[in-house]
Every structure is written in structure tokens, then in C-alpha cells.
Amino acid sequence: MVLYGGALFAQSPQRNDSLKISKLKPSTLKKPDGAAMLSVNDIATNISASKELVTFYRIIQAAGITETFKSKGPITVFAPTEQAFAGLPAGKLDTLFHNDHKYDLIALVTYHALPGIVTSGDIVHQINISKGLATFITLTGNKLMAKLDANRNIVLIDENGGQSIINRFNIKQNNGLIHLINSVLIPKFKNI
């Protein structure tokens, strides 16, 4: 009888350990607006799985640069949400999807990305040491500015003066970071 009770007692911690392991797995998930982003996935995979980033992923595909966001990186992406794209003037996005605007489409996507891992803390630090307005160079080679507003939100300013607030930040990817933004950043398009 003592052996039987000991056998039951010995199995009890094993069950608890397996429960603890299964409880740890969901902690690696980030759920921006209900879409699970696994930090073990690359940027392109996570963007493609997000309901909030459908249009941004369509643009990445149309530009033919999906592999850039699957690469080893690291890359930091400011990903505009569906609401951000809804704020564009009517027809602007449709025009970019035409074949003769492919380079503009590539410029649009890569303007939303910085080389390396740039956390929200890094952005705020640059803003502070730059006396309120930091400058970053995007993958296109164009400038993107950042400042803090009165509510201490990080505001990105594109080359045309358009502004976008980072709504969710530091979403870890296996090849960088994603920050979700509320407006589309527009570079000054250059004719090639």
C-alpha cells in the first residue's frame, strides 16, 4: 500500500511539469489585433498571417520583395495596419499596383523598414540625443524622422511631412522587429 501511494505521488510532479511547459508556450505569442505572431517566425511569415496587415503583405508580394523580409536580416519594419491604408487618398494605392509603378511600390515598402534592430527605446534615445527630432535612414536610403508628441507617443514623419504614430511596438521576429503604425509613410518618389 505504501508503494502504491509512493508511485502516485511520484507521478504527480511529472504532470505538473508538463502543465508548466504547455503554459509557457503561449507566452511567446504576440497578438496585435487578434493575429498571432510567433517570435520564431520571420517578418514576412508573421505579416502574411496577420489580419491587420493584409494590404501591407499584398504590397510586399506585388513589389516582389517577400524574400527581403524572410532574409536573415535583421530588419525593423514599421507596418501600416488596414486602417492606415484606409486613410490614403482614393486611388493612390491602386495606381501603385500598376506595372509601370513597380519601383514606386518597392520604394513604398522599403521606406517602412530600417536596417538592424531598432526598438522603441532606441528611437526615444535618438530623439533625446537629437534634441527632439531624430533622423533614420530607411532601406530605400531616404530619411525618416521621429519625435515624441505631447502624450509621449513616438511619431514618425515622412519626407512629405505626413505623420504616423507607432501603436504597438517591439514585436519580436526571428529576423528583426515589427512596429505597427496608424498611417502609411510616403517617401519622395524618385524616377529611376
Side-chain angles (χ1 to χ4, degrees), residues 70 139 154:
K70 286 183 170 285
L139 290 183
I154 298 172

Side-chain angles (χ1 to χ4, degrees), residues 18 20 33 49 60 62 69 79 86 109-110 118 121 141 175 177 183 186:
S18 65
K20 285 180 188 172
D33 292 339
I60 291 170
F69 295 103
V109 173
T110 56
V118 183
N175 60 345
L177 284 178
S183 296
I186 309 290

